[in-house]
Amino acid sequence: MPNFLRQPTWLIVASSVLLAIIAVIRAFVAPSVVDTAAASGMPLSVWLEGARVFSPILYVALVVLAVVCCMVNVLSTSLYSIETGRRTTLPLQIWVLFGCGVVFPQHALTAYVAAFIMTMALKRVARSFKRSYSFGAVFSASFAFGILPLLYAPFAVLYALLPIVWTMTRRTLREFVVGGVGLILPLLATAYIELCRGGEFGHIFEVLGGELSGVNYLGVVRPSAFVFSVVVVWFAAALTITMTTLADSALLRTKPRTMCYVHSVLLVGLLVSVFLGGSDSSLVPSLAVLIALLSPNAFGRDWALVSTISCVAFAVIVVAYNIIALSA
């Protein structure tokens, strides 16, 4: 079996760029109903997507910038998630495969800004993992996570998951308090700004509650049988990577093992949130970040064959999915 962890960098980059180009062309030439699902009604999403009306060229430039920044962060963040001597550029390819291959959201700017913020938050979670106090990293990570629900309501599950994350990284009670303040500060700041504009302080909470009360994700977009099958395979491949990583996590050192647990908890929590709350495909790039960061450990252990077969099969399906759509 080929060693996927040690593929040449140029091959990884070239294949990632090629797949991303194919996915973008397919999204514009033959958009799927999954791509064109309704936009989020959260304030930051509405503000970002307003750039499309203001200047389409500026919008495209901002999307490209967000994608590039996210790709760079995926590579640098992966260095915190795998043990020394196992550093690899594979997360880049995995992120493009899972984050762009199946869907390229119509509201791409918000989707990739959210993924970028997710990478920034995870880098700071990794930096907070140390024996001394880490108030700065805890606060900045929590603040970044707190911004995400203002982009998409299903990210509100982070309000419940962050205490678990800080418990895993062995933070003190003082740091828990600092993290809690950082988490709710963006929401409170938004409410205060709305009040200063003449609105009601609780309006943002009503918007968030209304977004979360939406119906099931797949029920909203009503995909075709083929698209539904691809989405199911996406979830199956994602869970395979997660399970194979956790199966061999005991062999990792303390910090990589802890980060694997953190990434797994966040991934499973967000996957559940996708189905319990109304959402569109714009959440996919952020989920792909977590999958990409789990992938090096999944491909480098005893259960690597399972992950390899899963991802190769998924890659074939993604390529076929895009080519069939373009040729239709």
Side-chain angles (χ1 to χ4, degrees), residues 23 36 45 48 86 103 108 155 157 161 180 201 219 232 238-239 243 246 252 262 279 310 319:
T36 57
S45 177
L48 285 174
R86 302 182 63 81
V103 294
F155 279 117
V157 71
L161 295 180
F201 183 82
V232 169
L239 292 177
M243 297 307 297
L246 295 177
L252 298 174
V262 168
S279 179
S310 175
V319 173

Side-chain angles (χ1 to χ4, degrees), residues 107-120:
H107 310 284
L109 180 56
T110 310
Y112 292 106
V113 166
F116 171 69
I117 293 174
M118 174 71 76
T119 60
M120 296 294 292

Side-chain angles (χ1 to χ4, degrees), residues 2 84 152 260 327:
T84 305
Y152 289 109
C260 280
S327 61

Side-chain angles (χ1 to χ4, degrees), residues 45-305:
S45 177
V46 173
W47 181 75
L48 285 174
E49 294 305 322
R52 184 195 298 271
V53 179
F54 177 75
S55 173
I57 297 178
L58 175 63
Y59 185 88
V60 172
L62 291 175
V63 170
V64 172
L65 178 62
V67 171
V68 171
C69 290
C70 193
M71 292 171 72
V72 172
N73 266 359
V74 165
L75 288 176
S76 60
T77 306
S78 68
L79 301 183
Y80 295 101
S81 64
I82 54 180
E83 50 185 336
T84 305
R86 302 182 63 81
R87 296 181 178 181
T88 172
T89 54
L90 179 66
L92 171 62
Q93 196 170 44
I94 296 295
W95 182 74
V96 172
L97 180 67
F98 280 81
C100 302
V102 175
V103 294
F104 192 87
Q106 183 182 25
H107 310 284
L109 180 56
T110 310
Y112 292 106
V113 166
F116 171 69
I117 293 174
M118 174 71 76
T119 60
M120 296 294 292
L122 293 174
K123 286 178 71 172
R124 280 151 181 77
V125 171
R127 291 175 183 174
S128 73
F129 189 83
K130 51 186 177 182
R131 295 182 179 179
S132 59
Y133 286 119
S134 187
F135 292 109
V138 169
F139 178 82
S140 57
S142 298
F143 186 82
F145 281 127
I147 293 175
L148 291 175
L150 300 178
L151 292 166
Y152 289 109
F155 279 117
V157 71
L158 293 171
Y159 294 134
L161 295 180
L162 258 291
I164 300 175
V165 169
W166 296 131
T167 300
M168 289 180 174
T169 54
R170 302 176 184 177
R171 297 299 89 204
T172 64
L173 179 59
R174 293 181 180 179
E175 290 167 313
F176 261 87
V177 174
V178 170
V181 172
L183 183 63
I184 65 173
L185 186 58
L187 192 62
L188 295 178
T190 304
Y192 178 72
I193 292 173
E194 181 67 23
L195 180 64
C196 292
R197 295 177 59 187
E200 297 182 1
F201 183 82
H203 177 68
I204 182 60
F205 301 99
E206 296 176 359
V207 173
L208 181 61
E211 290 286 316
L212 289 176
S213 63
V215 296
N216 180 278
Y217 166 58
L218 293 179
V220 172
V221 299
R222 300 186 184 279
S224 65
F226 181 66
V227 174
F228 177 79
S229 300
V230 173
V231 172
V232 169
V233 174
W234 190 100
F235 275 83
L239 292 177
T240 298
I241 288 179
T242 304
M243 297 307 297
T244 52
T245 301
L246 295 177
D248 291 322
S249 60
L251 301 177
L252 298 174
R253 296 178 182 177
T254 303
K255 182 174 180 178
R257 181 172 65 251
T258 301
M259 292 310 301
C260 280
Y261 292 156
V262 168
H263 295 154
S264 299
V265 166
L266 293 176
L267 176 61
V268 173
L270 288 174
L271 286 175
V272 171
S273 180
V274 166
F275 283 93
L276 294 183
S279 179
D280 61 31
S281 56
S282 300
L283 198 67
V284 169
S286 296
L287 293 170
V289 168
L290 296 163
I291 296 171
L293 297 182
L294 285 167
S295 62
N297 287 320
F299 283 98
R301 291 297 177 182
D302 297 338
W303 291 86
L305 182 61

